Amino acid sequence: MNILKKVFLFYYDGFRGMTYGKKLWFIIGLKLFFMFVILKWLFFPNFLKTNFKTDQERSEYVIEQLTNN
Amino acid sequence: MENIDIQLIDWSRAQFALTAMYHWLFVPLTLGITFMIAIMETIYVKTGNPEWKKITKFWMKVFGINFAIGVATGLILEFEFGTNWSNYSWFVGDIFGAPLAIEGIMAFFMESTFIAVMFFGWNKVSKGFHLASSWLVAIGGNLSALWILVANGWMQNPVGMRFNPDTARNEMINFWDVLFNPAAINKFLHTIFSSFILSAAFIIGISAIYLIRNRERIFARKSILLGSIFGVLFTVMTIATGDESAREVANSQPMKLAAMEGLYYGTSEAPLVAFGILKDAGTTETPHLKEFMIELKIPNLLSYMAFLKKDAFVPGVHDLVHGNDEHQIMSYSERIARGNIARQALEDFKIAKKTKNVVLEEELRAKFQDPDFINDYFKHFGYSYFKNPHAIVPNVPLTFYSFHTMVGIGFVLMLIFVWALWLSLKDKLQNKWFLRLAIIGMPMAYIASEAGWMVAEFGRQPWVIQDLMPTHTAISNISSGMVITTFWLFAIAFTGLLIAEIKIMTKQIKIGPKIEEE
């Protein structure tokens, strides 16, 4: 049996044999969906990446903030 | 400061505090319990005693629940850096990039590989490989924490970098200075050792529940014995690293130390306040002055802890704000003036670039590389954002009470560990007073752990990067409404996760340890 198949079966059997672990994986999946799909996408865009195209523009903006505040 | 939306700052801070504190509910148990599991499994492999396998597998299950619920909650802090704290994220430059990238790679490698072997590998890999995986999970998790704490240490004591006025970023010039920053090393050791204490308190507390219910006696006794040895050992280590941290804070964040001790007027032969209740005695001239309604002092101990001399002068809030010529302490007014010179140089540089005044641009660029300018002026850059020196003082009561709560609970936990060890050795673990105290010790350990972070983070206000960037300058120009919305979303989501953790863990604890394959 090649190594990839062994690794696959290792994880496959491990997940299949779970009891309370299935509930935990469900929570992990729900949490990651909530974090990356809902929160990150809708509420947490990267402010500088969204509003400026280049690093130079970002630098100029932050210098402006630092010197004008 | 002009045009500052106070509501935006307050809600952004509240949101960061909420997410960080919830995240920290899950982390310390993982840091400590993994080492204890590795030790339990080592005993099992060495002795072949199936009771130790049962013990190992039960605590591994508890760790699995805690890990699954807590994993990735820290990523939300990184979202917040990019959205709410974009000036800060940009200003820190690549200082955070390297440690956080190493952390990400380590965490991913550890989580996907060795945790899987730990949980799925019983009877599938050799005993030795399984044991090695358990140790690697423990070591990997704690090394992961190292890189996060290196980043945090840099914020408390920025070293190993140089500010680039072209990019408005700090650039790392010496990785080793950042890694071996005394603030980072002390913070790392103190944090992981105190997390080991929490884990020991947790294991002893759960075991005490079994003993009170007269269940799983052998399991509980062995767990308490191991937990008490671990607890005693790492209480000593936590005290030692806390003592070292006191000297580090005295040097790099003297205002934090003054707030931790409620010390308004500095003094030689400074006593340590072991216990105290503060009351407000401030006036317009002395807005932060507090007096002790009740106090229990240990003579000379603060001077000794801070400078290893029992007659050393320890500056108070007043000395730091107003300066003290006798002890060569520069006033905040002077630091504001110097910070203004550094900020004016940045402003002049910006204009020189815009107007293409190449000579002036080069001259000012060279200035930001000049060690004398850095030391005399740029070091005080952040002070330029304040007009009133009294605004550069943290919340003294909050810092004082957080610090004393942490230390006080630390000593109660030490009592529990010593008592547990003594009772274990005497085979008298059915003592009801001990068992009750051991159960109470579990939530107390969490309170102490959170209080420790409150000391570190509230005590360094108003700085997000010590002396260089105040918190209010770090903020992004976003709507406060969005921050308030996400604050409540996080509050609901994290509370849900906490309830899920408690419910699942309680169910597994009720089921109890048994030999099973998962």
Side-chain angles (χ1 to χ4, degrees):
Chain A
M1 206 186 310
N2 68 39
I3 187 80
L4 285 176
K5 196 174 176 185
K6 271 187 181 170
V7 171
F8 172 77
L9 286 176
F10 178 80
Y11 280 91
Y12 181 76
D13 291 343
F15 282 114
R16 271 192 62 194
M18 282 180 156
T19 51
Y20 80 104
K22 280 181 184 153
K23 193 181 282 177
L24 294 179
W25 276 105
F26 175 75
I27 290 171
I28 291 173
L30 195 67
K31 182 172 57 178
L32 292 178
F33 175 80
F34 176 72
M35 279 171 59
F36 285 98
V37 179
I38 297 177
L39 286 180
K40 179 71 182 160
W41 191 54
L42 289 179
F43 296 104
F44 285 94
N46 185 299
F47 180 81
L48 293 175
K49 280 187 182 161
T50 311
N51 290 295
F52 303 98
K53 285 181 183 153
T54 64
D55 275 357
Q56 192 183 338
E57 285 178 0
R58 291 175 194 121
S59 297
E60 284 168 3
Y61 171 78
V62 175
I63 287 181
E64 199 63 38
Q65 293 287 304
L66 293 179
T67 51
N68 283 348
N69 269 331
Chain B
M1 293 289 298
E2 300 165 24
N3 304 323
I4 294 181
D5 181 350
I6 298 293
Q7 198 185 25
L8 172 64
I9 296 167
D10 287 347
W11 277 101
S12 295
R13 287 186 63 198
Q15 186 185 78
F16 198 88
L18 175 86
T19 42
M21 289 180 82
Y22 259 117
H23 174 57
W24 193 251
L25 282 177
F26 304 110
V27 177
L29 183 63
T30 289
L31 295 179
I33 203 169
T34 46
F35 270 115
M36 295 180 76
I37 289 166
I39 293 168
M40 290 164 185
E41 193 177 343
T42 304
I43 298 171
Y44 162 62
V45 171
K46 287 270 181 202
T47 62
N49 182 347
E51 190 64 35
W52 280 105
K53 185 177 183 185
K54 181 173 144 184
I55 293 170
T56 304
K57 291 191 78 171
F58 176 76
W59 294 117
M60 201 179 274
K61 188 185 285 184
V62 170
F63 155 64
I65 296 165
N66 185 63
F67 181 81
I69 306 277
V71 71
T73 50
L75 283 177
I76 289 172
L77 300 172
E78 292 194 34
F79 294 173
E80 288 171 27
F81 284 143
T83 305
N84 302 3
W85 305 97
S86 60
N87 289 344
Y88 157 81
S89 297
W90 190 261
F91 190 74
V92 297
D94 63 351
I95 309 288
F96 272 31
L100 293 185
I102 299 170
E103 191 273 336
I105 292 165
M106 272 191 167
F108 178 78
F109 186 66
M110 180 199 82
E111 285 159 19
S112 64
T113 310
F114 296 112
I115 280 188
V117 176
M118 216 176 154
F119 284 95
F120 301 157
W122 291 104
N123 305 327
K124 289 184 182 168
V125 297
S126 70
K127 273 186 182 177
F129 184 63
H130 193 275
L131 178 62
S133 297
S134 297
W135 277 102
L136 285 169
V137 167
I139 293 166
N142 281 270
L143 281 179
S144 239
L146 168 69
W147 301 109
I148 300 287
L149 294 168
V150 163
N152 185 276
W154 185 83
M155 290 158 71
Q156 313 274 348
N157 180 31
V159 292
M161 87 300 180
R162 187 167 288 159
F163 179 70
N164 181 344
D166 281 293
T167 59
R169 307 191 89 166
N170 284 287
E171 293 171 353
M172 195 187 296
I173 54 171
N174 191 327
F175 173 77
W176 303 110
D177 280 354
V178 175
L179 178 58
F180 294 114
N181 179 356
I185 296 300
N186 282 321
K187 187 167 278 294
F188 170 64
L189 294 175
H190 195 61
T191 304
I192 63 161
F193 293 156
S194 59
S195 298
F196 293 179
I197 289 181
L198 180 142
S199 306
F202 184 88
I203 282 183
I204 291 173
I206 300 290
S207 304
I209 292 173
Y210 285 124
L211 289 182
I212 277 188
R213 292 179 180 175
N214 214 10
R215 282 184 57 190
E216 310 294 346
R217 295 183 52 78
I218 298 171
F219 162 87
R221 283 159 63 183
K222 285 186 187 297
S223 294
I224 289 177
L225 177 62
L226 184 67
S228 62
I229 294 169
F230 207 74
V232 169
L233 177 65
F234 286 104
T235 302
V236 173
M237 301 297 278
T238 303
I239 291 170
T241 51
D243 177 57
E244 193 64 38
S245 294
R247 278 182 286 291
E248 159 55 26
V249 171
N251 282 312
S252 62
Q253 296 175 301
M255 181 58 85
K256 185 193 273 184
L257 185 70
M260 283 159 68
E261 277 298 300
L263 183 66
Y264 192 79
Y265 294 108
T267 177
S268 301
E269 301 183 353
L272 184 88
V273 179
F275 174 78
I277 295 175
L278 294 166
K279 72 170 181 182
D280 199 2
T283 63
T284 317
E285 293 298 306
T286 58
H288 301 284
L289 178 60
K290 305 280 179 262
E291 281 176 1
F292 285 102
M293 285 164 64
I294 303 168
E295 60 183 329
L296 177 64
K297 290 180 171 178
I298 305 171
N300 302 72
L301 189 57
L302 183 59
S303 286
Y304 188 78
M305 283 178 70
F307 300 105
L308 290 178
K309 285 181 188 166
K310 65 177 187 172
D311 58 349
F313 177 79
V314 180
V317 172
H318 184 274
D319 306 274
L320 295 160
V321 171
H322 296 282
N324 184 321
D325 291 339
E326 190 189 340
H327 295 282
Q328 289 95 43
I329 296 169
M330 191 187 286
S331 71
Y332 277 180
S333 297
E334 175 63 19
R335 298 186 81 167
I336 289 171
R338 289 179 181 228
N340 277 326
I341 291 171
R343 188 143 72 107
Q344 187 59 49
L346 185 63
E347 170 82 21
D348 293 344
F349 178 77
K350 179 185 80 179
I351 295 168
K353 272 182 89 173
K354 270 188 187 158
T355 57
K356 303 202 184 308
N357 183 342
V358 180
V359 177
L360 183 59
E361 188 186 326
E362 280 305 317
E363 190 187 308
L364 288 166
R365 188 178 283 115
K367 212 173 197 178
F368 279 95
Q369 307 290 315
D370 175 12
D372 289 338
F373 177 78
I374 293 169
N375 200 42
D376 292 341
Y377 299 101
F378 186 73
K379 198 169 84 177
H380 312 286
F381 183 82
Y383 288 84
S384 68
Y385 295 96
F386 296 95
K387 288 190 175 76
N388 175 10
H390 290 293
I392 318 175
V393 177
N395 184 322
V396 174
L398 188 59
T399 313
F400 174 86
Y401 289 122
S402 300
F403 175 63
H404 286 78
T405 301
M406 175 189 76
V407 174
I409 292 178
F411 279 102
V412 173
L413 293 174
M414 186 166 75
L415 168 74
I416 292 175
F417 298 140
V418 172
W419 198 3
L421 184 58
W422 188 79
L423 291 175
S424 287
L425 296 174
K426 296 278 178 188
D427 199 15
K428 290 182 176 171
L429 276 171
Q430 280 303 351
N431 184 312
K432 285 230 165 13
W433 288 107
F434 162 74
L435 295 176
R436 285 176 191 144
L437 185 62
I439 294 167
I440 297 167
M442 276 193 293
M444 285 174 81
Y446 280 93
I447 292 168
S449 195
E450 295 282 359
W453 274 109
M454 287 172 70
V455 177
E457 300 304 303
F458 283 117
R460 73 176 158 118
Q461 291 302 318
W463 303 111
V464 66
I465 302 169
Q466 184 71 35
D467 300 339
L468 294 181
M469 181 175 258
T471 309
H472 64 255
T473 311
I475 203 107
S476 306
N477 190 12
I478 55 173
S479 125
S480 56
M482 194 174 85
V483 181
I484 295 169
T485 306
T486 47
F487 174 90
W488 290 113
L489 272 175
F490 286 149
I492 294 164
F494 277 115
T495 305
L497 285 176
L498 187 62
I499 292 169
E501 161 136 355
I502 292 170
K503 278 185 81 171
I504 298 170
M505 216 177 253
T506 307
K507 190 179 170 189
Q508 291 304 322
I509 289 165
K510 273 184 188 164
I511 293 167
K514 57 181 182 181
I515 298 287
E516 61 172 44
E517 296 309 317
E518 176 148 7

